[in-house]
Amino acid sequence: MQEKNHSVVVIDDEESMRDSCRMILEKDGFLTETAEDGKKGLEKVKEMNPDIALVDLKMPGIGGLDVIEKIKEISPDTVPIVITGYATVESAVEAMKKGAYDFLPKPFTPEQLRVIIKRGLEKIKLFREAESLRKEKKLIEENFITMVSHQLRSPLVAIAQYFEVMLSGYVGEMSKEHKDMLSKARNRVESLLELINDWLDAARIDKGQLVEKFKPVSLHNILKKQIEFLQPIAEKNKINLEIEPPTGKSTIRGDKETLEQAFANLLNNAVKYNKPNGSVTISFREKDDCIITDIKDTGVGIDKKHIPQLFNQFFRVNRSEGKQGKGSGLGLSISKKIIDAHSGRIDVSSTLGKGSTFSVTLPKHKKATD
Ligand code: ADP
Protein backbone atom coordinates (compact mmCIF):
# COMPACT_ATOMS: atom_id res chain seq x y z
CA MET A 1 0.00 0.00 0.00
CA GLN A 2 1.69 3.16 -1.18
CA GLU A 3 0.27 5.89 1.04
CA LYS A 4 2.89 8.57 0.30
CA ASN A 5 0.92 11.44 1.73
CA HIS A 6 0.10 9.80 5.02
CA SER A 7 2.16 10.37 8.12
CA VAL A 8 2.61 8.49 11.38
CA VAL A 9 4.31 9.38 14.66
CA VAL A 10 5.42 6.41 16.77
CA ILE A 11 5.76 7.24 20.49
CA ASP A 12 7.37 4.38 22.40
CA ASP A 13 10.21 4.17 24.91
CA GLU A 14 11.40 0.85 23.45
CA GLU A 15 13.97 1.51 20.74
CA SER A 16 13.42 -1.83 18.98
CA MET A 17 9.70 -1.10 18.75
CA ARG A 18 10.28 2.36 17.26
CA ASP A 19 12.78 1.02 14.75
CA SER A 20 10.66 -1.90 13.62
CA CYS A 21 7.53 0.27 13.24
CA ARG A 22 9.54 2.83 11.25
CA MET A 23 10.93 0.13 8.96
CA ILE A 24 7.54 -1.38 8.22
CA LEU A 25 5.80 1.96 7.76
CA GLU A 26 8.50 3.58 5.63
CA LYS A 27 8.55 0.50 3.43
CA ASP A 28 4.84 1.10 2.86
CA GLY A 29 5.49 4.72 1.93
CA PHE A 30 4.47 6.47 5.17
CA LEU A 31 6.23 9.57 6.33
CA THR A 32 7.32 8.28 9.74
CA GLU A 33 8.70 10.03 12.82
CA THR A 34 9.51 8.44 16.15
CA ALA A 35 9.82 9.72 19.71
CA GLU A 36 11.11 7.99 22.82
CA ASP A 37 8.78 9.64 25.33
CA GLY A 38 5.47 11.46 25.60
CA LYS A 39 6.94 14.96 25.74
CA LYS A 40 9.00 14.57 22.56
CA GLY A 41 6.13 12.70 20.92
CA LEU A 42 3.72 15.56 21.57
CA GLU A 43 6.20 18.03 20.10
CA LYS A 44 6.38 15.90 16.93
CA VAL A 45 2.59 15.66 16.78
CA LYS A 46 2.31 19.43 17.11
CA GLU A 47 4.86 19.94 14.35
CA MET A 48 3.51 17.37 11.89
CA ASN A 49 -0.23 17.02 12.59
CA PRO A 50 0.19 13.37 11.57
CA ASP A 51 -2.68 11.23 10.31
CA ILE A 52 -1.92 8.58 12.93
CA ALA A 53 -0.11 8.50 16.26
CA LEU A 54 0.95 5.10 17.62
CA VAL A 55 1.22 5.55 21.38
CA ASP A 56 2.69 3.15 23.92
CA LEU A 57 0.59 3.06 27.09
CA LYS A 58 3.39 2.45 29.58
CA MET A 59 6.17 4.99 29.26
CA PRO A 60 8.30 6.87 31.77
CA GLY A 61 7.32 10.53 32.09
CA ILE A 62 3.94 11.40 30.60
CA GLY A 63 1.91 8.18 30.40
CA GLY A 64 0.24 7.01 27.18
CA LEU A 65 -3.29 7.90 28.34
CA ASP A 66 -2.29 11.51 29.01
CA VAL A 67 -0.46 11.64 25.69
CA ILE A 68 -3.64 10.54 23.87
CA GLU A 69 -5.68 13.16 25.67
CA LYS A 70 -3.19 15.89 24.72
CA ILE A 71 -3.04 14.70 21.08
CA LYS A 72 -6.81 15.26 20.86
CA GLU A 73 -6.24 18.85 22.01
CA ILE A 74 -3.26 19.80 19.87
CA SER A 75 -4.09 17.86 16.71
CA PRO A 76 -7.79 16.86 16.75
CA ASP A 77 -7.63 15.24 13.30
CA THR A 78 -4.88 12.79 14.31
CA VAL A 79 -6.12 9.27 14.98
CA PRO A 80 -4.41 7.89 18.12
CA ILE A 81 -3.81 4.14 18.26
CA VAL A 82 -2.56 2.47 21.44
CA ILE A 83 0.25 -0.05 21.42
CA THR A 84 0.94 -1.93 24.61
CA GLY A 85 2.40 -5.05 26.08
CA TYR A 86 -0.05 -4.90 29.01
CA ALA A 87 -3.32 -4.95 27.18
CA THR A 88 -6.20 -5.43 29.57
CA VAL A 89 -9.87 -4.74 28.99
CA GLU A 90 -9.71 -1.92 31.56
CA SER A 91 -6.75 -0.20 29.93
CA ALA A 92 -8.36 -0.55 26.49
CA VAL A 93 -11.62 0.96 27.72
CA GLU A 94 -9.74 3.78 29.45
CA ALA A 95 -7.72 4.51 26.30
CA MET A 96 -10.85 4.53 24.12
CA LYS A 97 -12.50 6.94 26.55
CA LYS A 98 -9.56 9.31 26.17
CA GLY A 99 -9.96 9.22 22.41
CA ALA A 100 -7.87 6.25 21.20
CA TYR A 101 -9.33 4.75 18.06
CA ASP A 102 -7.80 1.28 18.18
CA PHE A 103 -5.60 -1.04 20.18
CA LEU A 104 -2.54 -3.05 19.13
CA PRO A 105 -1.19 -5.55 21.68
CA LYS A 106 2.56 -6.25 21.66
CA PRO A 107 4.13 -8.27 20.18
CA PHE A 108 2.57 -7.77 16.76
CA THR A 109 3.46 -8.86 13.27
CA PRO A 110 4.03 -6.39 10.40
CA GLU A 111 0.75 -7.56 8.94
CA GLN A 112 -1.16 -6.79 12.16
CA LEU A 113 0.36 -3.31 12.21
CA ARG A 114 -0.68 -2.78 8.57
CA VAL A 115 -4.26 -3.87 9.30
CA ILE A 116 -4.56 -1.47 12.23
CA ILE A 117 -3.04 1.42 10.27
CA LYS A 118 -5.34 0.70 7.34
CA ARG A 119 -8.36 0.84 9.65
CA GLY A 120 -7.16 4.16 11.06
CA LEU A 121 -6.76 5.57 7.56
CA GLU A 122 -10.25 4.42 6.63
CA LYS A 123 -11.57 6.35 9.60
CA ILE A 124 -9.68 9.44 8.42
CA LYS A 125 -11.06 9.03 4.92
CA LEU A 126 -14.64 8.72 6.18
CA PHE A 127 -14.17 11.67 8.50
CA ARG A 128 -12.81 13.85 5.70
CA GLU A 129 -15.58 12.80 3.33
CA ALA A 130 -18.22 13.59 5.97
CA GLU A 131 -16.54 16.93 6.60
CA SER A 132 -16.53 17.88 2.93
CA LEU A 133 -20.17 16.79 2.54
CA ARG A 134 -21.06 18.94 5.55
CA LYS A 135 -19.33 21.92 3.96
CA GLU A 136 -21.00 21.27 0.63
CA LYS A 137 -24.41 21.01 2.32
CA LYS A 138 -23.82 24.31 4.11
CA LEU A 139 -22.84 25.99 0.85
CA ILE A 140 -25.92 24.65 -0.95
CA GLU A 141 -28.11 25.85 1.93
CA GLU A 142 -26.53 29.30 1.87
CA ASN A 143 -26.90 29.58 -1.90
CA PHE A 144 -30.46 28.40 -1.63
CA ILE A 145 -31.26 30.99 1.02
CA THR A 146 -29.79 33.74 -1.18
CA MET A 147 -31.67 32.41 -4.18
CA VAL A 148 -34.98 32.22 -2.30
CA SER A 149 -34.67 35.68 -0.83
CA HIS A 150 -33.58 37.43 -4.01
CA GLN A 151 -35.17 35.55 -6.86
CA LEU A 152 -38.44 34.60 -5.17
CA ARG A 153 -39.08 36.99 -2.35
CA SER A 154 -38.21 40.26 -4.05
CA PRO A 155 -40.54 39.85 -7.09
CA LEU A 156 -43.34 38.70 -4.77
CA VAL A 157 -42.94 41.81 -2.63
CA ALA A 158 -43.16 43.91 -5.81
CA ILE A 159 -46.31 42.04 -6.96
CA ALA A 160 -47.94 42.51 -3.54
CA GLN A 161 -47.20 46.23 -3.72
CA TYR A 162 -48.75 46.56 -7.20
CA PHE A 163 -51.88 44.77 -5.96
CA GLU A 164 -52.04 47.11 -3.01
CA VAL A 165 -51.82 50.20 -5.25
CA MET A 166 -54.49 48.88 -7.62
CA LEU A 167 -56.82 47.92 -4.78
CA SER A 168 -56.56 51.33 -3.19
CA GLY A 169 -57.96 52.84 -6.40
CA TYR A 170 -54.98 54.97 -7.43
CA VAL A 171 -54.96 53.68 -11.00
CA GLY A 172 -58.66 54.04 -11.65
CA GLU A 173 -61.95 52.53 -10.53
CA MET A 174 -62.54 48.79 -10.82
CA SER A 175 -65.69 46.74 -10.86
CA LYS A 176 -66.53 44.77 -7.71
CA GLU A 177 -65.62 41.49 -9.49
CA HIS A 178 -62.21 42.85 -10.44
CA LYS A 179 -61.62 44.01 -6.88
CA ASP A 180 -62.63 40.64 -5.42
CA MET A 181 -60.34 38.75 -7.73
CA LEU A 182 -57.48 41.11 -7.11
CA SER A 183 -57.85 40.93 -3.35
CA LYS A 184 -57.88 37.11 -3.52
CA ALA A 185 -54.70 37.26 -5.59
CA ARG A 186 -53.14 39.65 -3.06
CA ASN A 187 -54.06 37.31 -0.16
CA ARG A 188 -52.48 34.37 -1.92
CA VAL A 189 -49.29 36.33 -2.61
CA GLU A 190 -49.18 37.43 1.04
CA SER A 191 -49.55 33.84 2.25
CA LEU A 192 -46.75 32.82 -0.07
CA LEU A 193 -44.56 35.63 1.29
CA GLU A 194 -45.31 34.54 4.86
CA LEU A 195 -44.33 30.99 3.98
CA ILE A 196 -41.07 32.16 2.40
CA ASN A 197 -40.28 34.39 5.39
CA ASP A 198 -40.95 31.53 7.81
CA TRP A 199 -38.88 29.19 5.73
CA LEU A 200 -35.99 31.67 5.59
CA ASP A 201 -36.20 32.08 9.38
CA ALA A 202 -36.01 28.30 9.80
CA ALA A 203 -33.06 27.96 7.43
CA ARG A 204 -31.11 30.75 9.13
CA ILE A 205 -31.19 29.26 12.63
CA ASP A 206 -27.76 27.83 13.13
CA LYS A 207 -27.04 26.53 16.62
CA GLY A 208 -23.32 27.28 16.45
CA GLN A 209 -23.85 30.90 15.42
CA LEU A 210 -26.63 31.37 17.97
CA VAL A 211 -24.59 30.14 20.92
CA GLU A 212 -21.94 32.76 20.16
CA LYS A 213 -24.55 35.49 20.69
CA PHE A 214 -25.81 34.18 24.06
CA LYS A 215 -26.23 36.78 26.82
CA PRO A 216 -28.27 36.87 30.02
CA VAL A 217 -31.88 37.62 29.09
CA SER A 218 -35.06 37.89 31.12
CA LEU A 219 -37.87 35.57 29.99
CA HIS A 220 -40.38 37.75 31.81
CA ASN A 221 -39.31 40.78 29.76
CA ILE A 222 -39.36 38.82 26.50
CA LEU A 223 -42.90 37.60 27.13
CA LYS A 224 -44.17 40.98 28.33
CA LYS A 225 -42.94 42.53 25.07
CA GLN A 226 -44.59 39.83 22.94
CA ILE A 227 -47.88 40.31 24.78
CA GLU A 228 -47.80 44.04 23.99
CA PHE A 229 -47.34 43.26 20.29
CA LEU A 230 -50.17 40.78 20.30
CA GLN A 231 -52.65 42.78 22.35
CA PRO A 232 -54.42 44.51 19.39
CA ILE A 233 -55.04 41.19 17.59
CA ALA A 234 -56.18 39.55 20.83
CA GLU A 235 -58.59 42.40 21.54
CA LYS A 236 -59.96 42.19 18.02
CA ASN A 237 -60.68 38.49 18.62
CA LYS A 238 -62.00 39.13 22.18
CA ILE A 239 -59.22 37.13 23.77
CA ASN A 240 -57.83 38.02 27.16
CA LEU A 241 -54.02 37.95 27.42
CA GLU A 242 -52.49 37.65 30.90
CA ILE A 243 -49.04 37.21 32.33
CA GLU A 244 -48.34 36.16 35.90
CA PRO A 245 -44.95 37.57 36.96
CA PRO A 246 -42.40 34.97 38.08
CA THR A 247 -41.88 34.58 41.83
CA GLY A 248 -38.10 34.49 41.42
CA LYS A 249 -35.64 35.41 38.70
CA SER A 250 -36.40 34.45 35.12
CA THR A 251 -32.95 35.02 33.64
CA ILE A 252 -31.50 32.51 31.20
CA ARG A 253 -28.55 32.66 28.82
CA GLY A 254 -29.75 33.02 25.27
CA ASP A 255 -30.20 35.01 22.09
CA LYS A 256 -32.94 37.58 22.71
CA GLU A 257 -34.01 37.98 19.10
CA THR A 258 -34.58 34.31 18.34
CA LEU A 259 -36.15 33.65 21.75
CA GLU A 260 -38.62 36.45 21.00
CA GLN A 261 -39.42 34.71 17.75
CA ALA A 262 -39.88 31.31 19.46
CA PHE A 263 -42.30 32.72 22.04
CA ALA A 264 -44.06 34.94 19.48
CA ASN A 265 -44.93 31.82 17.45
CA LEU A 266 -46.35 30.06 20.51
CA LEU A 267 -48.34 33.10 21.61
CA ASN A 268 -49.64 33.73 18.09
CA ASN A 269 -50.91 30.18 17.96
CA ALA A 270 -52.49 30.48 21.41
CA VAL A 271 -54.49 33.45 20.07
CA LYS A 272 -55.03 32.13 16.54
CA TYR A 273 -56.40 28.77 17.68
CA ASN A 274 -58.48 30.24 20.51
CA LYS A 275 -62.23 30.84 20.80
CA PRO A 276 -64.07 34.15 21.22
CA ASN A 277 -63.99 35.28 24.88
CA GLY A 278 -61.18 32.82 25.48
CA SER A 279 -57.95 33.52 27.31
CA VAL A 280 -54.21 33.02 27.14
CA THR A 281 -52.30 32.87 30.42
CA ILE A 282 -48.54 32.92 30.74
CA SER A 283 -46.94 31.77 33.98
CA PHE A 284 -43.47 30.72 35.14
CA ARG A 285 -42.31 27.95 37.42
CA GLU A 286 -38.95 26.59 38.46
CA LYS A 287 -37.81 22.98 38.38
CA ASP A 288 -34.30 21.81 39.21
CA ASP A 289 -32.02 24.25 37.41
CA CYS A 290 -34.62 25.25 34.84
CA ILE A 291 -37.34 27.82 34.29
CA ILE A 292 -40.54 26.57 32.74
CA THR A 293 -42.76 29.02 30.90
CA ASP A 294 -46.34 27.77 30.54
CA ILE A 295 -48.47 29.25 27.76
CA LYS A 296 -51.97 28.10 28.47
CA ASP A 297 -54.89 28.77 26.16
CA THR A 298 -58.60 27.98 26.26
CA GLY A 299 -58.73 27.31 22.52
CA VAL A 300 -59.75 24.52 20.19
CA GLY A 301 -57.17 22.07 21.54
CA ILE A 302 -55.26 19.39 19.64
CA ASP A 303 -56.19 15.77 19.14
CA LYS A 304 -53.74 13.40 20.93
CA LYS A 305 -52.95 11.65 17.66
CA HIS A 306 -51.49 14.86 16.19
CA ILE A 307 -49.17 15.72 19.08
CA PRO A 308 -46.18 13.63 17.85
CA GLN A 309 -46.17 15.40 14.45
CA LEU A 310 -46.87 18.88 15.77
CA PHE A 311 -43.26 20.07 15.58
CA ASN A 312 -42.59 18.65 12.11
CA GLN A 313 -41.96 21.16 9.35
CA PHE A 314 -45.11 22.03 7.37
CA PHE A 315 -47.39 19.98 9.61
CA ARG A 316 -50.84 21.54 10.05
CA VAL A 317 -53.83 19.98 11.77
CA ASN A 318 -56.68 19.57 9.33
CA ARG A 319 -59.56 21.29 11.05
CA SER A 320 -62.99 20.77 9.61
CA GLU A 321 -64.69 23.21 11.99
CA GLY A 322 -63.32 26.21 10.07
CA LYS A 323 -60.57 26.89 12.60
CA GLN A 324 -57.77 26.23 10.15
CA GLY A 325 -56.63 29.86 9.95
CA LYS A 326 -53.73 31.04 7.84
CA GLY A 327 -50.31 29.58 8.39
CA SER A 328 -47.28 27.89 6.91
CA GLY A 329 -47.02 24.96 9.31
CA LEU A 330 -43.51 26.11 10.14
CA GLY A 331 -44.08 28.14 13.33
CA LEU A 332 -43.77 25.31 15.85
CA SER A 333 -40.82 23.71 14.06
CA ILE A 334 -39.00 27.07 14.17
CA SER A 335 -39.78 27.50 17.87
CA LYS A 336 -38.52 24.01 18.60
CA LYS A 337 -35.31 24.58 16.64
CA ILE A 338 -34.66 27.77 18.61
CA ILE A 339 -35.46 26.23 22.01
CA ASP A 340 -33.33 23.16 21.18
CA ALA A 341 -30.43 25.49 20.32
CA HIS A 342 -30.83 26.91 23.85
CA SER A 343 -30.60 23.37 25.32
CA GLY A 344 -34.27 23.53 26.23
CA ARG A 345 -37.45 21.69 25.28
CA ILE A 346 -41.11 22.27 24.52
CA ASP A 347 -43.84 20.00 25.95
CA VAL A 348 -47.48 20.06 24.99
CA SER A 349 -50.56 19.01 26.88
CA SER A 350 -53.92 19.52 25.25
CA THR A 351 -57.56 18.55 25.44
CA LEU A 352 -59.56 18.73 22.25
CA GLY A 353 -62.20 21.44 22.52
CA LYS A 354 -60.86 22.74 25.83
CA GLY A 355 -57.40 24.18 25.18
CA SER A 356 -53.67 23.57 25.18
CA THR A 357 -50.61 24.34 27.28
CA PHE A 358 -47.21 24.70 25.64
CA SER A 359 -44.46 24.47 28.29
CA VAL A 360 -41.00 25.74 27.43
CA THR A 361 -38.20 24.50 29.69
CA LEU A 362 -34.92 26.42 29.60
CA PRO A 363 -31.82 26.14 31.80
CA LYS A 364 -31.53 28.98 34.29
CA HIS A 365 -28.63 31.40 34.07
CA LYS A 366 -26.27 30.56 36.92
CA LYS A 367 -25.47 34.16 37.88
CA ALA A 368 -28.98 35.51 37.48
CA THR A 369 -29.35 39.26 37.89
CA ASP A 370 -32.97 39.66 36.83
P1 ADP B 1 -49.33 27.06 11.56
O1 ADP B 1 -49.93 27.76 12.72
O2 ADP B 1 -48.70 27.97 10.58
O3 ADP B 1 -50.26 26.08 10.93
P2 ADP B 1 -47.52 25.82 13.46
O4 ADP B 1 -46.29 25.04 13.21
O5 ADP B 1 -47.40 27.05 14.29
O6 ADP B 1 -48.11 26.16 12.05
O7 ADP B 1 -48.59 24.88 14.12
C1 ADP B 1 -48.85 23.60 13.57
C2 ADP B 1 -50.28 23.18 13.86
O8 ADP B 1 -50.43 22.94 15.26
C3 ADP B 1 -51.30 24.24 13.53
O9 ADP B 1 -51.75 24.07 12.21
C4 ADP B 1 -52.38 24.04 14.55
O10 ADP B 1 -53.40 23.19 14.05
C5 ADP B 1 -51.72 23.33 15.70
N1 ADP B 1 -51.55 24.23 16.86
C6 ADP B 1 -50.43 24.92 17.19
N2 ADP B 1 -50.62 25.62 18.32
C7 ADP B 1 -51.88 25.38 18.72
C8 ADP B 1 -52.70 25.79 19.82
N3 ADP B 1 -52.22 26.62 20.76
N4 ADP B 1 -53.95 25.31 19.90
C9 ADP B 1 -54.43 24.48 18.97
N5 ADP B 1 -53.74 24.04 17.91
C10 ADP B 1 -52.48 24.48 17.78
Side-chain angles (χ1 to χ4, degrees), residues 198 265-266 269-274 297 299-302 310-312 315-319 323-333 350 355-356 358:
D198 280 354
N265 291 345
L266 297 176
N269 283 346
V271 170
K272 185 161 74 169
Y273 300 106
N274 218 309
D297 69 59
V300 294
I302 306 156
L310 220 52
F311 294 92
N312 293 352
F315 176 78
R316 304 201 72 208
V317 176
N318 235 334
R319 294 185 192 275
K323 254 288 166 192
Q324 180 79 352
K326 275 212 263 175
S328 63
L330 280 170
L332 286 182
S333 70
S350 188
S356 319
F358 283 75

Side-chain angles (χ1 to χ4, degrees), residues 186-203:
R186 179 200 49 194
N187 291 348
R188 296 301 287 263
V189 169
E190 276 175 359
S191 299
L192 197 52
L193 267 171
E194 258 170 48
L195 171 71
I196 291 173
N197 288 341
D198 280 354
W199 187 84
L200 281 172
D201 284 343

